[in-house]
Amino acid sequence: MSTSKHGSLLTLDARTKKRNAAEKRFRAYGLGAIVIAVAALAMLLISIIANGASSFRQTYISFPVTISAEEIEAAESSLLKTGAYNKIIQTGLLAYLTERDLLQDTPEADAFGMISGEAGSTFRQFILANPDAAGTTFQLDLLANGRIDGYYKGRVTAETAALDKNVTPAQLELADRLAADGALVKQFNWDFFTNPDASDQRPEAAGLGVAILGSLYMMAVVLCLALPIGVAASIYLEEFARKNWITDVIEVNIANLAAVPSIVYGILGLAIFINFAEFNQSSPLVGGLVLTLMTLPTIIISTRASLKSIPPSIRDAALGVGASKMQSVFHHVLPLASPGILTGTIIGLAQALGETAPLLLIGMVAFVKEYPAAYTADAGLFGEASTALPVQVFNWTQRSDPAFVERASGAIITLLIFLLIMNALAIFLRKKFERRW
Amino acid sequence: MSLFKMTASTLAITAISATAAAARDNVQIAGSSTVLPYASIIAEVFGENSDFPTPVVESGGSSAGLKRFCEGVGENTIDIANASRQIKDTELVACAENGVTDIVEVRIGYDGIVFASDINGNGFAFTPSDWYAALAAEMPIDGAMVTNTNMDWAEVNADFASQPIMAFIPGTKHGTREVFEEKVLLQGCEDSGAFEAMVDMGMSEDDAEGACMAVRTDGLSVDIDGDYTETLARIEADTNGIGVFGLAFYENNTSKLQVATMNDVVPTTQSIAAGDYPVSRPLYFYLKAAHVGVIPGLQEFAGFFVADELAGPDGPLAAYGLVSDPELADTQAAVANLTLMGN
């Protein structure tokens, strides 16, 4: 048989080969794209974790201290109370070093410099909480200075210490002797999650407490406002509104708002909530309101999509057995659409949690040391100054002490963990409750 | 229906909190990012050692801080503006228009501006003339303005090691840039005789000053609009770079940077306090006297800021890199008496 026009199915003709080759190339492009994306993500994660994982452990120095009632009284009556407590700590440290013969030829000032500037405040808080401690000897766990902490995290070496004005090689040797004696230990750093921010001189004491609380308050505001408003708007647009040019215009505008740069919402928030409504600057209330505006389009779009996916037969059946339009929506359509709505809301919240730009304009990039209360008579609901997780990262990357690089990366890891939990929850809810028609 | 009730109640709660929100019991501060670390150190100590809450300190730059300071009087405006330069007359006018007339000016100390490069690179001993020759856009040569052709530090000064010129200087929005232009570029222009040559060429003194401070735009000088951490990152990436830093930032990064001398003086808090190191500037904060007695702890905080134990030569601010003010006692008296500007 001579070769026909169409040829055999078993031998590939030139055009089939060409098509197969094109498909192979396309697959290779796709794979390449994924490899590039994964490599970029891996690089990001590796650099952040390499920089930040060490922030979850912290170096402490522990030794006995004695304080008398007179010393407490004298300290409390001075201008710099924490300075006076520092002196007592130094006396205790010196006594301990002499007793264990650890000081050797290290200058005393160097030994004192190994204790964090936060120590005086820690000690004072302890004494105020335990007034009975006067006249007794007790063991104090104090933060080691950021450079000493850096020595145990590989950031500071004997070589860099020789050049560094804030640490000496003698201090590192003393630290090694203290570690061998068991007085210097590295522990899990719970304070990183509970402590408020600390000034540039005390990177070792800086924590995310205020930032986590502020982010939590803002998410509460966003959830309480964006979810009901977004769902109500979507139900009206999807189920009740007539389809005419006005609803078309609204739809185009909502889609457009979802793509507006977030800093625009910050400018709006500054003008409306702070200058016009006179809410407190730097407050989670204003932050939450601004993020609500930003999250609303996302929630409306996802809610409308999930309402659209409910088959009309559900509505028809409800109406057919005599339900009113509103009953059909609230008894049948909304419960079936709720997994999709929840997923959209959680993704919107996750987006809001990681947002920095609008918060820059409403004064949330600040040094805040006091934990914000959820409600006070003076400041109102969520009215006390606070920061948020992403702005704390921004804040720490601007500090001059290299120890803050580690803190900032640690804060990024914490933020990523929160985002991971929220996105995993969204996927879980979708998988568990989603119904296919 | 529960959805409607929930919406209505959340909106009601917001409305209630809106009416209640206004009062605050903490001091609110904004302004210069150079003063920020000092202000937060003091805020922290103030919170620990007094019965008042820790003040909230924002940064954002001297101009932005003073603008917010001048927005008016009331709990919704800031109490203190930090500034790395003195308040301008135009800002005082803007303040007065909004009813902010009673202002206390407090000079907290001096900040040194240093030139630093990679720790493993060449060391430099600069004079202002070297910087002018390296960074000027155009220089007068034989009676005409000629584009700067210096590409290497060895061309600028035969004593220097050969190293391509690469300077990271603060962007124009920084207060530091103004000091750099006036105390380094203009000074160098005058010292090297270029200023005189320009005037001889028929330029007016103002034009000549402008030409002295015009920085070359061919890429050998890079404006850094971010903060010193960005300058440091640029130097780590390009070890030929020489950056302009605040003394405090350099003091915290001495294991990565080496500092250059200026007129053979090493910048330290002592040499700046003595007036030997030429490139320094005073730092200020401005206090709204109308808020004293309204915002709890405001005057106490200002008093704390300038107390000998904190702002003195042995205090934590000096340890961080602030050059303490030799006339601190006068400042303390001004804060205690709330001496207003213009009196």
Side-chain angles (χ1 to χ4, degrees):
Chain A
M1 229 164 100
S2 65
T3 46
S4 77
K5 198 175 163 191
H6 299 291
S8 160
L9 279 175
L10 297 174
T11 52
L12 297 173
D13 64 17
R15 279 184 64 188
T16 313
K17 275 184 189 158
K18 213 173 150 189
R19 285 193 309 169
N20 287 353
E23 186 175 326
K24 247 186 205 155
R25 278 201 306 276
F26 179 73
R27 283 188 187 187
Y29 297 151
L31 198 64
I34 288 178
V35 168
I36 290 171
V38 169
L41 185 68
M43 259 163 56
L44 181 81
L45 282 180
I46 288 170
S47 83
I48 289 172
I49 291 174
N51 274 327
S54 55
S55 61
F56 299 111
R57 292 178 69 77
Q58 194 68 36
T59 314
Y60 293 84
I61 301 178
S62 149
F63 52 89
V65 174
T66 314
I67 189 165
S68 67
E70 294 80 53
E71 281 172 324
I72 294 178
E73 206 174 308
E76 285 298 320
S77 60
S78 58
L79 175 71
L80 263 186
K81 303 179 179 74
T82 48
Y85 283 103
N86 259 331
K87 287 272 185 303
I88 296 162
I89 292 172
Q90 291 175 355
T91 316
L93 177 68
L94 198 60
Y96 174 77
L97 291 177
T98 322
E99 183 204 320
R100 309 283 300 183
D101 194 25
L102 295 169
L103 191 62
Q104 296 172 12
D105 50 2
T106 317
E108 282 179 18
D110 277 7
F112 300 153
M114 291 174 60
I115 308 280
S116 162
E118 186 77 6
S121 168
T122 316
F123 190 26
R124 178 166 183 243
Q125 294 305 325
F126 176 82
I127 294 292
L128 294 185
N130 306 287
D132 306 340
T136 61
T137 301
F138 44 87
Q139 198 76 12
L140 264 186
D141 271 349
L142 296 170
L143 282 166
N145 178 292
R147 303 289 159 129
I148 302 297
D149 181 51
Y151 177 49
Y152 290 99
K153 292 172 175 172
R155 198 169 56 231
V156 176
T157 62
E159 249 169 52
T160 62
L163 300 166
D164 200 323
K165 285 191 179 171
N166 296 305
V167 64
T168 63
Q171 283 180 316
L172 301 185
E173 284 161 23
L174 178 58
D176 279 338
R177 288 198 292 275
L178 277 169
D181 198 52
L184 187 146
V185 284
K186 224 165 128 183
Q187 292 168 357
F188 186 75
N189 190 6
W190 278 115
D191 292 343
F192 185 59
F193 303 104
T194 56
N195 265 5
D197 194 4
S199 75
D200 297 47
Q201 275 179 327
R202 307 176 186 174
E204 61 278 0
L208 289 171
V210 170
I212 290 176
L213 216 53
S215 278
L216 209 67
Y217 290 167
M218 288 201 299
M219 290 306 107
V221 174
V222 174
L223 190 65
C224 289
L225 290 175
L227 184 62
I229 296 175
V231 170
S234 320
I235 290 176
Y236 182 77
L237 281 176
E238 203 54 47
E239 304 287 338
F240 294 98
R242 258 177 273 158
K243 301 275 174 272
N244 54 24
W245 65 271
I246 300 180
T247 47
D248 284 347
V249 168
I250 291 176
E251 188 162 350
V252 168
N253 275 302
I254 289 173
N256 213 356
L257 276 180
V260 164
S262 55
I263 190 101
V264 174
Y265 292 103
I267 297 169
L268 193 74
L270 177 66
I272 295 179
F273 299 126
I274 293 180
N275 291 344
F276 177 70
E278 304 204 334
F279 292 153
N280 284 347
Q281 290 177 354
S282 322
S283 66
L285 176 69
V286 175
L289 289 171
V290 167
L291 293 179
T292 300
L293 293 179
M294 203 194 80
T295 320
L296 261 179
T298 317
I299 292 187
I300 292 179
I301 290 169
S302 68
T303 304
R304 291 188 67 184
S306 53
L307 287 174
K308 262 195 198 117
S309 70
I310 308 298
S313 57
I314 302 279
R315 296 179 185 86
D316 294 343
L319 295 175
V321 295
S324 71
K325 179 88 182 163
M326 202 167 121
Q327 281 173 325
S328 86
V329 170
F330 282 93
H331 295 177
H332 301 282
V333 179
L334 196 59
L336 288 169
S338 57
I341 297 174
L342 276 183
T343 310
T345 308
I346 292 172
I347 289 172
L349 279 181
Q351 196 188 349
L353 180 65
E355 195 54 68
T356 325
L359 305 182
L360 300 182
L361 287 171
I362 56 167
M364 291 195 85
V365 185
F367 175 75
V368 183
K369 190 102 178 145
E370 305 275 331
Y371 296 107
Y375 179 84
T376 60
D378 277 347
L381 190 70
F382 299 139
E384 292 202 322
S386 88
T387 55
L389 274 172
V391 295
Q392 194 67 66
V393 173
F394 176 76
N395 209 330
W396 282 347
T397 51
Q398 294 177 312
R399 303 270 176 97
S400 61
D401 195 307
F404 278 109
V405 175
E406 171 207 87
R407 298 270 148 177
S409 300
I412 295 172
I413 295 174
T414 312
L415 182 61
L416 283 179
I417 290 172
F418 277 115
L419 292 176
L420 194 70
I421 292 172
M422 289 172 83
N423 286 322
L425 188 70
I427 291 175
F428 171 77
L429 286 174
R430 197 168 64 214
K431 286 265 187 270
K432 179 143 174 130
F433 296 108
E434 192 181 42
R435 287 180 69 168
R436 298 208 173 269
W437 309 95
Chain B
M1 285 303 283
S2 63
L3 188 71
F4 288 134
K5 280 182 187 163
M6 206 174 119
T7 314
S9 51
T10 44
L11 289 176
I13 288 169
T14 320
I16 290 165
S17 65
T19 53
R24 63 182 159 87
D25 56 3
N26 60 324
V27 176
Q28 197 120 18
I29 306 166
S32 166
S33 50
T34 309
V35 185
L36 173 74
Y38 304 117
S40 42
I41 288 168
I42 299 295
E44 186 170 67
V45 177
F46 182 67
E48 281 168 8
N49 287 292
S50 71
D51 300 328
F52 300 104
T54 310
V56 171
V57 192
E58 293 174 48
S59 65
S62 304
S63 303
L66 285 166
K67 191 172 163 228
R68 280 175 61 188
F69 183 78
C70 291
E71 266 168 7
V73 172
E75 291 192 339
N76 201 39
T77 57
I78 58 170
D79 311 310
I80 289 178
N82 294 329
S84 56
R85 58 170 172 80
Q86 207 156 16
I87 192 167
K88 290 176 186 161
D89 287 342
T90 50
E91 286 164 338
L92 282 173
V93 170
C95 262
E97 275 172 6
N98 292 323
V100 186
T101 47
D102 298 346
I103 303 172
V104 183
E105 182 181 74
V106 183
R107 189 176 61 212
I108 58 166
Y110 294 84
D111 175 40
I113 291 168
V114 308
F115 303 87
S117 53
D118 188 78
I119 186 99
N120 299 315
N122 299 314
F124 286 91
F126 289 120
T127 62
S129 315
D130 296 331
W131 276 97
Y132 171 69
L135 292 193
E138 292 181 322
M139 287 187 284
I141 292 175
D142 301 332
M145 292 303 280
V146 179
T147 307
N148 191 348
T149 55
N150 292 331
M151 306 301 273
D152 195 291
W153 284 107
E155 293 172 42
V156 169
N157 186 332
D159 295 342
F160 291 159
S162 171
Q163 175 173 331
I165 294 174
M166 187 74 233
F168 299 107
I169 63 175
T172 43
K173 74 164 196 170
H174 287 281
T176 319
R177 172 65 171 262
E178 222 169 281
V179 183
F180 173 72
E181 285 177 352
E182 279 178 17
K183 300 220 165 165
V184 181
L185 292 182
L186 185 60
Q187 186 67 42
C189 184
E190 285 170 3
D191 292 353
S192 63
F195 182 77
E196 215 173 311
M198 284 186 225
V199 174
D200 289 345
M201 276 159 53
M203 283 169 91
S204 75
E205 291 210 349
D206 280 354
D207 286 351
E209 270 190 22
C212 283
M213 296 192 286
V215 173
R216 66 198 299 175
T217 52
D218 55 0
L220 297 190
S221 166
V222 179
D223 280 14
I224 303 288
D225 279 325
D227 39 73
Y228 296 135
T229 47
E230 189 187 338
T231 314
L232 176 63
R234 298 290 279 271
I235 288 180
E236 283 179 335
D238 178 357
T239 49
N240 281 328
I242 298 178
V244 177
F245 294 96
L247 178 68
F249 188 90
Y250 160 71
E251 298 254 318
N252 272 293
N253 289 280
T254 45
S255 59
K256 293 176 190 156
L257 294 170
Q258 62 173 320
V259 74
T261 60
M262 181 61 77
N263 293 341
D264 291 325
V265 181
V266 179
T268 60
T269 48
Q270 290 84 7
S271 65
I272 294 165
D276 296 334
Y277 186 79
V279 200
S280 71
R281 59 162 166 195
L283 300 178
Y284 299 89
F285 71 80
Y286 292 89
L287 183 141
K288 222 175 259 178
H291 283 195
V292 173
V294 180
I295 304 293
L298 179 56
Q299 194 174 2
E300 289 84 349
F301 173 75
F304 233 80
F305 211 136
V306 293
D308 284 331
E309 290 93 330
L310 293 158
D314 301 319
L317 295 189
Y320 188 73
L322 182 76
V323 180
S324 69
D325 191 342
E327 291 155 20
L328 199 57
D330 295 348
T331 314
Q332 287 161 352
V335 170
N337 305 327
L338 289 179
T339 312
L340 301 178
M341 282 184 82
N343 290 356

